[in-house]
Amino acid sequence: MQFGMIGLGRMGANMVRRLMKNSHEGVVYDRSAETVAALVKDGATGAASLAELVKKMDGPRAICIMVPAAFVDSTIEELEKHLKAGDIIIDGGNSHYHDDIARAARLKPKGIHYVDMGTSGGVWGLERGYCLMIGGETDVVKHLDPIFKTLAPGAGDIPRTPGRDKLGGTAEQGYLHCGASGAGHFVKMVHNGIEYGLMAAYAEGLNILKHANIGKASDKHEKDAETTPLRHPEHYQFDFNMADVTEVWRRGSVISSWLLDLTAQAFVGSPALDKFGGKVSDSGEGRWTVAAANDEAVPAHVLTAALFERFASRGEDDFQNRVLSAMRFGFGGHVEK
């Protein structure tokens, strides 16, 4: 199939390369002419504008947008001026599912179809494939199946889930039509919320291991009213090698995962993770997951804590900590150390 791509960043460009590698035709646009030129060298058809991209494609067109969520609406508004009834817009980024529902409703009277495609795979997707969570009209999603099948990782060497052969469907190939407009990004939203929780669990556990040698410096611990004493320093005499611990966990452990694979790899390259400052961003999905949990009256203790931990990593708790310090000084004369 012919496939248009707007936005050739870390994921968009590799998605086009994966499609072209499997005989699909890519027509591409990005604000960076150099980025477009690089894809043209790989066999894509380049465009210098959205209008030119549409003109170079045959109808009905299937055009994917892979840009930050803040720019999706403006991109669609410009793009739809050049589209015709029957054309398909696919948002493969991390949009809020509310926006998907609204966009699909707005485009429907014009005969333009809208598909939300939650995409997971990161910078490794070119080789590994992309896990796709899709929302939209059934016949439109079916029409795009060759694209989704190519982008997805396929069954690979993952053992088949017992009984899965009786269920059928595309899920074990790594892509799934989740439902109507917004359903794809809803599933991807929760996927990313879970990702926050998993990452936080690994990070917290490894931090406990890292500080398990605190007893070796017990003679240097300050002994005053502001310091909790370490009662049993003999219990904390361990010097753990993080690279080795994460590696052994990869081998047969119940907590093995791709995230753990990446963590082990990071420790091999930098045992102290010196090139990272520890300020962890959140791109929105964790917040939206917690908001959905609130609307549904569903408890999400772990996911909420993981989200707030990211806020704290960026210093967003500095003021509240100063308030705490001020109160302690006020009622007990406690001076910060």
Side-chain angles (χ1 to χ4, degrees):
M1 292 182 66
Q2 189 183 55
F3 193 69
M5 180 66 75
I6 299 170
L8 304 174
R10 288 173 295 181
M11 291 180 69
N14 279 346
M15 290 170 74
V16 174
R17 290 188 176 99
R18 184 173 176 87
L19 287 166
M20 293 192 301
K21 185 179 177 181
N22 289 274
S23 302
H24 296 285
E25 178 188 350
V27 184
V28 301
Y29 168 74
D30 190 274
R31 289 185 298 175
S32 167
E34 292 181 2
T35 304
V36 173
L39 263 293
V40 170
K41 286 183 179 179
D42 288 341
T45 299
S49 67
L50 295 182
E52 185 178 339
L53 179 137
V54 172
K55 188 178 295 186
K56 290 186 174 183
M57 294 187 68
D58 302 322
R61 303 167 185 84
I63 301 174
C64 184
I65 299 173
M66 289 294 293
V67 300
F71 301 103
V72 174
D73 280 319
S74 58
T75 301
I76 291 176
E77 288 173 9
E78 176 61 28
L79 178 63
E80 66 179 281
K81 298 175 185 176
H82 310 288
L83 298 181
K84 296 181 179 179
D87 289 342
I88 306 166
I89 295 175
I90 304 156
D91 179 14
N94 283 322
S95 289
H96 196 299
Y97 75 97
H98 290 181
D99 296 332
D100 296 320
I101 295 170
R103 290 167 189 156
R106 184 175 65 79
L107 293 169
K108 187 173 183 179
K110 299 182 179 182
I112 299 172
H113 305 289
Y114 178 87
V115 172
D116 50 288
M117 182 179 72
T119 308
S120 182
V123 296
W124 300 90
L126 175 60
E127 297 300 327
R128 287 172 58 102
Y130 301 88
C131 175
L132 304 177
M133 295 142 273
I134 305 156
E137 303 157 272
T138 300
D139 56 338
V140 174
V141 173
K142 187 175 181 180
H143 170 73
L144 295 170
D145 189 77
I147 295 295
F148 299 142
K149 188 173 184 178
T150 300
L151 288 174
D157 57 2
I158 298 174
R160 196 169 203 180
T161 300
R164 183 71 223 185
D165 56 306
K166 298 182 179 67
L167 300 180
T170 63
E172 65 178 348
Q173 298 300 315
Y175 68 105
L176 177 67
H177 181 204
C178 300
S181 297
H185 276 147
F186 192 99
V187 174
K188 178 55 162 53
M189 172 187 77
V190 176
H191 164 285
N192 282 27
I194 293 171
E195 179 184 292
Y196 283 26
L198 291 171
M199 294 172 72
Y202 282 127
E204 290 177 9
L206 290 168
N207 200 27
I208 294 170
L209 290 175
K210 177 178 174 55
H211 290 87
N213 62 359
I214 190 172
K216 291 186 174 183
S218 60
D219 58 326
K220 298 179 182 178
H221 291 180
E222 296 185 38
K223 296 176 176 59
D224 54 41
E226 306 302 319
T227 306
T228 301
L230 184 63
R231 297 180 61 185
H232 294 285
E234 68 275 14
H235 293 168
Y236 299 95
Q237 299 286 323
F238 306 111
D239 291 303
F240 294 115
N241 182 308
M242 296 296 102
D244 286 347
V245 170
T246 50
E247 185 63 32
V248 77
W249 283 352
R250 294 181 62 221
R251 311 292 172 172
S253 164
V254 72
I255 62 168
S256 59
S257 72
W258 186 36
L259 285 173
L260 184 60
D261 295 345
L262 297 174
T263 305
Q265 183 177 329
F267 279 122
V268 169
S270 175
L273 304 181
D274 295 324
K275 68 177 182 179
F276 300 100
K279 294 184 178 180
V280 187
S281 299
D282 70 289
S283 54
E285 299 87 345
R287 304 185 191 203
W288 305 337
T289 301
V290 172
N294 286 337
D295 288 343
E296 297 172 4
V298 173
H301 309 291
V302 172
L303 308 191
T304 302
L307 172 65
F308 289 173
E309 193 165 307
R310 293 194 177 200
F311 295 167
S313 78
R314 306 196 298 265
E316 301 296 347
D317 59 349
D318 286 352
F319 182 73
Q320 68 200 59
N321 289 334
R322 290 200 294 273
V323 172
L324 289 173
S325 190
M327 287 189 286
R328 291 188 79 246
F329 178 76
F331 68 69
H334 300 283
V335 179
E336 288 186 9
K337 298 181 66 172

